[in-house]
Amino acid sequence: APLGPPGAGSDMAAARAGAAAAGLRAALTDLLHGMPIMRSERILGMDTDEVLAYSTKKVVWIRDRYVGFCYYSLIFVVIVWVVGWQILWKHEHFLTKDVEGLARMWYSHPTMNNCDPEKAGCKSNFTNLQALSYCDVFKGPGSQQQAHCKYEDKLSLVPGGVTDEKLFLTTAIELVTEVRDCNPSEKNGYYCDNTYSAEPGSRCLHPGVLCRERGGRKDQFFYVADIKNFKIRFTSSYARDNIRGTSLMHPAFVGVCEKLLRVDHRNRTWSERKNVLESNHCEGKLDLVKLPCEFGVDCADMRKFDILEDTGVNVVSKNIQNSMKEIKNKSESLRHKVLDAATFFTGGRKRHPEHSLLHTDKAQSTIGSVAEVEAASPITMEANAKSTMHTEYSDNWGDVFSVARLLQLAGADLDADFNMDGWTTRQAGTVLEVRAVYNNLYPILSTFGYKPVQYHYEVSELMLPYVSRMQLAAVQPPEYPEKRVYEVRYGILIHFKVAGTFGFFNFVYLLLMLTAAFALTATATTLTDLFFLYLSDHSDNFFHLKYEVTPDFSDMWRCDTCGFYNQDDQHTCRGVPKFMCPNTTPPCGAARPPLSGEASAKSEAKAA
């Protein structure tokens, strides 16, 4: 077939588009004209054109690139701030709700290959006392705060264990022996001013307290050795509305505040610690570092953004697939029932091995006994004992941190921080708050449906001058209760809790954001008008384009017939009733009333 002239195809397409638009307009017109109320000129005695009249604003189209540039620049700033920052980045159109959940801790003293101390064959991995600077047997330059050191395992350190979100780890223990002073009797009038009095101490680190000798007995005050290498495992659950799960289902991150990290071990007084605490706030700007996985553990990974999955584009196709699966499931339901019955009668539940784990997204592989760990790891037991211990990692049961790492993240130091009485933190104790912060909102992506759960740890020190516990010693002297021994345990109180927020799309919040955008758009118009009305060299032109200035009403004459005010040079009334068109409605036309002598003189003077 012969080709048509150039551009013939595009002309035909344009013609078809024009015809389609004309047909649409005609259809809408016929629809409006077909309504009964549109066919009637009057309703209830009133003109329908007046009843259904519409008012709109009259605008001026100013063809000036300077005015347009200023206005559209402000509009661009408004769009970036509202849409880009508040909606896409800050998710202000989401309703945020606090996360609720349970927090649990497990702790252990240092062990070889991080084995469980409750399992047979697990060996401790304490640091040699001669390598600890706070111990009196330290092979190095000593200090006045040195004292005897003892090893404590997880049972002797925390006899009561841990059952809630608080864990008290003892760093120093003072043993105080007391002797009964008196018993209420007839001789003392059945009154005692003091029931017990402590035996005097000597070689005290501070006046009257932390005495290394008391009543002729040595080592009445001692430090818990190698407390920094104790490890704590954190596991938590979360729940808010329809979002539920545990920390084992997600990769773990730790929030690091560079301002809090100690670059030196310089001593800090109580006042300096308070100043550091007040000034070194990261204000939520933490560097998130992913926790490494323990050897042989397959940790969970963060799901990546899928534009089809997260935006819901493939919902229709999934619905079709689900309907097909339902048909298939119905056909196989009878076979499943038969198999379930057979499993019940033949004992089909599998026997779990001793060290098997719950199959979660975080841990799909298991580690058995200590011997299996040694066989799987290329590092031998002896080499591992001399190597640097892990400070943080994730395993099958949770996220493990050493006490040293927690102190580092909080910016605390057991031997370089002092309270107002000159006690070190190892002697006086402190409080560490560990928060598992959950979140499901991510800049830009969450607006398009990407909301997987993520969590990270935040560690901070809650400064208190003293943190201690007082209790009777487990072993009492034979003279008890005439003579008794009690312990004053100073240490680190670790408070673990669940925090964070989950975001849920809220249409009302989105309307608030859009309303703010429209309000700021009006502000952009006002700022542009003010600038070009008062600061621009086009101010006079801009003023008369924007405003219509009326004559002085004091110089106008009033029509006695309709009350309309007319200009002085008009001899008949030009008044038109309101809501009437001046082009189709004849003016009043009443003659100007005769002027008084004074008014006539003013009119003649003005004309001259």
Side-chain angles (χ1 to χ4, degrees):
L3 297 176
S10 59
D11 293 342
M12 293 179 63
R16 286 195 295 268
L24 180 61
R25 287 195 298 270
L28 292 176
T29 303
D30 293 341
L31 178 63
L32 291 175
H33 289 176
M35 295 181 180
I37 193 173
M38 295 300 178
R39 293 197 299 267
S40 176
E41 291 290 337
R42 305 184 70 82
I43 181 172
L44 300 178
M46 297 180 292
D47 190 343
T48 54
D49 291 328
E50 294 182 0
V51 173
L52 300 177
Y54 171 72
S55 61
T56 186
K57 294 182 179 180
K58 183 178 181 180
V59 297
V60 180
W61 186 31
I62 301 178
R63 298 190 296 172
D64 189 310
R65 60 180 177 271
Y66 299 103
V67 178
F69 177 79
C70 292
Y71 174 73
Y72 291 115
S73 297
L74 293 175
I75 293 297
F76 177 77
V77 173
V78 169
I79 293 175
V80 170
W81 188 77
V82 175
V83 178
W85 179 251
Q86 296 294 328
I87 294 181
L88 293 179
W89 197 266
K90 299 288 289 183
H91 305 112
E92 294 295 336
H93 61 302
F94 281 82
L95 173 62
T96 56
K97 299 181 180 181
D98 292 335
V99 178
E100 300 174 351
L102 295 176
R104 288 293 177 264
M105 288 179 285
W106 176 91
Y107 64 98
S108 171
H109 57 268
T111 58
M112 304 292 287
N113 288 321
N114 296 319
C115 61
D116 189 345
E118 299 177 6
K119 302 300 181 182
C122 183
K123 301 296 183 180
S124 300
N125 191 20
F126 288 108
T127 302
N128 192 305
L129 296 183
Q130 294 180 339
L132 301 176
S133 60
Y134 51 87
C135 295
D136 53 5
V137 294
F138 174 62
K139 297 298 184 180
S143 68
Q144 296 181 353
Q145 305 299 328
Q146 286 181 337
H148 182 66
C149 291
K150 289 184 179 181
Y151 291 135
E152 299 279 352
D153 61 12
K154 64 173 298 184
L155 295 180
S156 60
L157 185 68
V158 188
V162 55
T163 56
D164 55 11
E165 68 279 3
K166 296 184 180 68
L167 172 64
F168 184 78
L169 295 179
T170 305
T171 57
I173 300 176
E174 182 178 16
L175 301 176
V176 179
T177 303
E178 292 184 324
V179 179
R180 188 188 292 272
D181 277 348
C182 76
N183 287 306
S185 64
E186 184 178 357
K187 293 182 179 180
N188 53 30
Y190 299 98
Y191 172 78
C192 291
D193 57 355
N194 194 20
T195 56
Y196 286 89
S197 60
E199 293 180 348
S202 60
R203 299 183 62 205
C204 302
L205 297 180
H206 299 282
V209 290
L210 306 188
C211 299
R212 287 169 281 194
E213 295 182 4
R214 189 180 295 272
R217 292 176 296 276
K218 297 182 178 181
D219 303 332
Q220 297 302 288
F221 172 78
F222 59 91
Y223 295 119
V224 176
D226 209 19
I227 191 65
K228 286 186 176 181
N229 281 327
F230 275 66
K231 57 186 179 183
I232 306 172
R233 179 185 292 120
F234 299 95
T235 309
S236 58
S237 64
Y238 61 87
R240 188 69 205 203
D241 294 353
N242 60 336
I243 305 178
R244 297 171 180 270
T246 71
S247 59
L248 301 176
M249 301 165 58
H250 312 284
F253 294 82
V254 58
V256 179
C257 180
E258 294 293 339
K259 295 181 179 179
L260 288 178
L261 298 182
R262 302 283 284 265
V263 296
D264 54 18
H265 292 282
R266 185 180 62 85
N267 292 344
R268 288 180 180 175
T269 63
W270 180 256
S271 299
E272 291 175 335
R273 291 174 63 189
K274 291 192 297 182
N275 294 334
V276 170
L277 186 65
E278 294 173 356
S279 59
N280 288 358
H281 280 299
C282 286
E283 299 177 356
K285 299 178 181 178
L286 301 175
D287 297 330
L288 297 185
V289 180
K290 185 177 181 181
L291 265 66
C293 297
E294 188 183 25
F295 180 81
V297 175
D298 185 14
C299 296
D301 283 327
M302 191 76 174
R303 183 175 66 83
K304 295 183 179 180
F305 176 69
D306 188 336
I307 188 171
L308 296 179
E309 179 72 23
D310 293 311
T311 57
V313 174
N314 60 347
V315 171
V316 177
S317 62
K318 281 190 173 182
N319 291 337
I320 297 175
Q321 294 176 1
N322 291 335
S323 61
M324 298 290 291
K325 290 180 179 179
E326 288 180 4
I327 298 174
K328 183 179 179 181
N329 292 336
K330 289 180 180 179
S331 64
E332 296 181 354
S333 60
L334 180 60
R335 184 173 65 87
H336 287 310
K337 292 180 180 179
V338 174
L339 290 177
D340 291 341
T343 301
F344 176 80
F345 287 106
T346 57
R349 181 177 297 179
K350 294 183 179 180
R351 180 177 180 273
H352 294 276
E354 181 181 359
H355 293 278
S356 65
L357 303 176
L358 295 176
H359 292 284
T360 63
D361 294 336
K362 186 168 185 176
Q364 297 295 335
S365 62
T366 61
I367 299 180
S369 62
V370 177
E372 292 173 347
V373 175
E374 296 172 17
S377 174
I379 305 176
T380 63
M381 293 274 285
E382 181 179 0
N384 183 68
K386 298 179 181 179
S387 63
T388 302
M389 302 185 65
H390 297 295
T391 58
E392 57 187 23
Y393 60 89
S394 296
D395 62 14
N396 289 317
W397 297 275
D399 306 308
V400 181
F401 292 84
S402 67
V403 175
R405 178 57 170 166
L406 295 178
L407 292 169
Q408 180 189 32
L409 293 172
D413 193 305
L414 291 181
D415 300 305
D417 291 344
F418 295 83
N419 66 3
M420 70 279 291
D421 295 326
W423 293 33
T424 66
T425 302
R426 188 182 299 276
Q427 297 168 351
T430 188
V431 179
L432 296 181
E433 182 185 66
V434 181
R435 302 196 308 157
V437 183
Y438 286 89
N439 170 62
N440 71 333
L441 296 181
Y442 308 91
I444 301 176
L445 298 180
S446 292
T447 302
F448 302 98
Y450 181 70
K451 294 188 293 183
V453 175
Q454 184 191 52
Y455 75 99
H456 68 274
Y457 291 97
E458 295 181 3
V459 185
S460 58
E461 182 184 18
L462 306 181
M463 287 179 52
L464 290 176
Y466 292 97
V467 179
S468 63
R469 298 175 61 180
M470 183 181 295
Q471 63 188 37
L472 283 175
V475 179
Q476 293 294 327
E479 301 86 353
Y480 181 82
E482 297 303 318
K483 178 183 289 188
R484 68 181 183 183
V485 179
Y486 70 86
E487 299 176 348
V488 182
R489 290 175 170 256
Y490 303 92
I492 306 171
L493 178 62
I494 299 176
H495 184 196
F496 179 38
K497 61 182 182 179
V498 175
T501 57
F502 286 150
F504 302 87
F505 175 76
N506 189 279
F507 185 71
V508 175
Y509 280 29
L510 179 61
L511 288 181
L512 290 177
M513 289 293 101
L514 296 179
T515 302
F518 288 129
L520 292 175
T521 300
T523 302
T525 303
T526 302
L527 293 177
T528 304
D529 291 347
L530 291 175
F531 177 81
F532 283 96
L533 279 174
Y534 300 105
L535 301 178
S536 172
D537 54 356
H538 301 81
S539 59
D540 292 340
N541 300 80
F542 192 88
F543 178 87
H544 289 288
L545 290 173
K546 182 175 178 62
Y547 298 102
E548 182 178 354
V549 182
T550 67
D552 190 347
F553 274 73
S554 300
D555 298 332
M556 301 175 70
W557 60 273
R558 184 179 184 276
C559 175
D560 294 336
T561 303
C562 65
F564 190 81
Y565 281 81
N566 299 270
Q567 297 184 24
D568 190 61
D569 58 350
Q570 297 172 348
H571 300 286
T572 59
C573 179
R574 304 291 179 86
V576 177
K578 53 177 154 308
F579 301 112
M580 304 299 291
C581 179
N583 296 328
T584 59
T585 304
C588 173
R592 180 176 181 175
L595 301 175
S596 61
E598 182 179 356
S600 177
K602 288 183 179 180
S603 178
E604 292 176 358
K606 184 176 181 181

